[in-house]
Amino acid sequence: MVVVPVVGGLIVGLMARFGSDKIRGHGMPEAIEAILLHRAKVDPKIAILKPLSAAIAIGSGGPFGAEGPIIMTGGAVGSLIGQWMHVTDAERTTLLVAGAAAGMSATFATPVAAILLAVELLLFEWRPRSLVPVSIASATAALLRVYWLGAGPLFHMPTLPGTLNLSFVIGALFLGAFVGLVSAGMSRMMYAFEDLFEHLHLHWMWWPAIGGIGIGVGGLFFPRGLGVGYDNIAELLHGSAPIGLIVGILIAKSLMWAFSLGSGTSGGVLAPLLMIGGAVGALAGHLAHAPFETQAFWALIGMGSMLAGSLGVPLTAILFSLEVTHCLPALLPLSIACVASYLVTALVMPRSILTEKLSRRGYHLTREYGVDPLELVLVREVMSPLAIGASRIPLSSVFAYADSTTRGAAEIMATEGLETIPVVDRTTNEACGELSLKDLLRGRGRSLDRENERLRLFGYIPPELGGHN
């Protein structure tokens, strides 16, 4: 039991050393890096080596999930199709994300959650040009999965007794917040082990074999911690998990997963994190002496909260938990728990378990979405007026209308390589001003005023009418 994981880790290390080092880790940070930094271009070897290395790591006892490598593999296939076609970077990115979403949809039978994961984690936009193809790919994968693996939820849960009262909602709030702290701790523990391996005076090719020692030793004490462990998740969500299994997951499985993944082997994070979160919820049910139906409910709350907190994807976590169980009565408390977990991790962790790996490579990403401030400012609000008589100066073919947004004008200036463009009144078709980079910065500064300026609007009189701030 100890030797086999070591051999598996050694094989993965050799594949990474002489094949591609991109197969190391759980795959999703590499997909994000390819999208943002490499024009959505993935090495063709990844499509073969990533699933093969993950299969070796898991098959030799690695406590990982297959979903991360499958998502990366699907993204690699989409990227390869985009590289063969004559497409733009944006279109190639859409193909990569469509392949990744299809991989997740086929793995978990969660087509809607796969779409949301693509939006919250990979696309960096919400536009019809990307959302529609990704949705079609995810739905197609879910449809084909029915013919190959059957229909129905991935995990079955007992029927919840009656309606969920206020105590369930309040309990879900506190459990979600606590699981948020646990998810932050899991992320820091995994990266602490990664830092420990960085200090070894050995080539990183040998690290997965050392990680295999931790897997083998942990497997001696807790054999059910080996492999993907979907059977453990099913038992937690059935409400029949004994206290020995729960404690084993929280201690042995957590250490085995964090130590081995920190060694740089190939494996996913979703299944282990779902299992650990479910164990936290099941433990809460045990401590409350709840019946098995309610223990299953708390395991579901813990599972969704762990996904929301660790990956920073609350909407995906809510829909994912519902799609893998079809437990619709848990929607309200599950939503509250996932948002609470997300809030806690946002306060105590600057980055998620995925973006932390990218930041260690020097790429600091924010996962916050918002409207471009220049989209809310019109050109006429920030343009500089022309001197008297200058409106009769002939215009080029390159100009901006006064009633257009400054974002559109900025795109024109970026495309043409201009620092200043004339502004035309749409009604008279005459020049009425000019827009410079300095004017665009003033438009950008308005969003900062909206963020920082505090006003009491009741009875407020604007300064231009004689009022005071």
Side-chain angles (χ1 to χ4, degrees):
M1 187 177 292
V2 177
V3 173
V4 172
V6 176
V7 174
L10 180 60
I11 296 174
V12 172
L14 291 172
M15 293 175 64
R17 175 66 175 85
F18 299 103
S20 174
D21 61 350
K22 298 298 183 181
I23 67 173
R24 303 174 67 208
H26 44 89
M28 285 188 280
E30 288 71 24
I32 298 174
E33 183 178 352
I35 291 171
L36 295 180
L37 305 172
H38 304 302
R39 308 181 68 176
K41 181 180 180 181
V42 178
D43 192 333
K45 294 184 293 185
I46 300 297
I48 299 175
L49 295 179
K50 187 62 178 180
L52 183 60
S53 62
I56 294 173
I58 297 172
S60 60
F64 315 114
E67 61 288 325
I70 289 176
I71 290 173
M72 183 58 187
T73 302
V77 173
S79 174
L80 291 179
I81 295 175
Q83 293 177 49
W84 290 331
M85 300 171 62
H86 191 69
V87 295
T88 64
D89 287 357
E91 293 167 340
R92 192 179 306 108
T93 296
T94 300
L95 289 171
L96 187 155
V97 177
M104 179 178 177
S105 181
T107 304
F108 288 109
T110 55
V112 181
I115 297 170
L116 281 178
L117 182 72
V119 172
E120 289 189 296
L121 199 62
L122 298 175
L123 278 179
F124 293 89
E125 68 176 19
W126 187 304
R127 295 185 180 183
R129 71 175 188 182
S130 56
L131 186 61
V132 172
V134 169
S135 301
I136 293 175
S138 179
T140 303
L143 179 63
L144 294 177
R145 187 189 191 279
V146 174
Y147 292 99
W148 290 339
L149 301 176
L154 187 63
F155 303 110
H156 293 275
M157 287 188 62
T159 303
L160 295 179
T163 58
L164 299 178
N165 53 33
L166 183 61
S167 61
F168 281 92
V169 177
I170 297 176
L173 175 65
F174 284 100
L175 179 59
F178 178 73
V179 173
L181 293 175
V182 175
S183 67
M186 292 298 301
S187 175
R188 290 180 177 176
M189 181 171 63
M190 192 271 286
Y191 283 109
F193 280 125
E194 186 174 290
D195 293 336
L196 182 64
F197 278 98
E198 291 285 348
H199 289 88
L200 293 179
H201 298 290
L202 289 173
H203 193 277
W204 56 258
M205 178 184 70
W206 304 103
W207 296 354
I210 299 176
I213 297 176
I215 297 174
V217 173
L220 288 176
F221 294 94
F222 186 61
R224 298 193 65 173
L226 299 172
V228 177
Y230 286 160
D231 56 331
N232 297 334
I233 299 177
E235 195 166 344
L236 291 169
L237 292 177
H238 192 265
S240 58
I243 191 67
L245 174 62
I246 295 173
V247 174
I249 292 174
L250 292 177
I251 299 177
K253 179 77 174 185
S254 299
L255 290 173
M256 293 164 62
W257 169 78
F259 182 76
S260 54
L261 194 61
S263 69
T265 190
S266 180
V269 300
L270 289 187
L273 289 175
L274 294 174
M275 191 186 310
I276 296 169
V280 174
L283 180 61
H286 266 278
L287 295 178
H289 302 288
F292 80 96
E293 299 94 344
T294 309
Q295 288 183 26
F297 164 78
W298 292 120
L300 176 63
I301 297 299
M303 186 180 76
S305 301
M306 179 63 76
L307 183 62
S310 57
L311 302 188
V313 287
L315 297 180
T316 299
I318 296 169
L319 266 296
F320 177 88
S321 302
L322 294 179
E323 284 191 293
V324 295
T325 60
H326 290 190
C327 186
L328 191 59
L331 174 60
L332 178 58
L334 184 64
S335 302
I336 293 175
C338 290
V339 171
S341 176
Y342 176 68
L343 174 61
V344 169
T345 52
L347 293 175
V348 301
M349 289 179 58
R351 289 169 288 271
S352 71
I353 195 172
L354 303 182
T355 55
E356 175 66 24
K357 182 174 285 292
L358 293 176
S359 70
R360 288 167 172 253
R361 300 173 183 172
Y363 312 126
H364 301 281
L365 303 178
T366 177
R367 299 303 313 171
E368 297 180 356
Y369 286 90
V371 177
D372 188 341
L374 295 181
E375 188 72 26
L376 305 177
V377 180
L378 299 181
V379 171
R380 63 168 174 259
E381 297 176 3
V382 295
M383 70 179 186
S384 301
L386 290 178
I388 299 176
S391 60
R392 298 183 178 87
I393 297 177
L395 297 175
S396 65
S397 60
V398 180
F399 60 88
Y401 285 112
D403 57 356
S404 63
T405 65
T406 49
R407 176 184 175 181
E411 291 177 350
I412 295 175
M413 295 168 68
T415 302
E416 301 295 333
L418 302 175
E419 297 183 358
T420 303
I421 59 172
V423 180
V424 176
D425 188 303
R426 194 182 297 270
T427 58
T428 63
N429 207 30
E430 292 185 349
C432 59
E434 63 179 7
L435 186 71
S436 65
L437 295 179
K438 184 178 180 180
D439 297 326
L440 291 178
L441 291 178
R442 288 196 294 116
R444 181 81 179 181
R446 289 195 175 189
S447 64
L448 298 178
D449 294 338
R450 291 172 58 89
E451 292 283 345
N452 301 318
E453 188 178 20
R454 298 182 182 273
L455 298 173
R456 187 187 301 275
L457 292 181
F458 186 77
Y460 171 73
I461 301 176
E464 57 268 22
L465 299 181
H468 302 281
N469 290 337

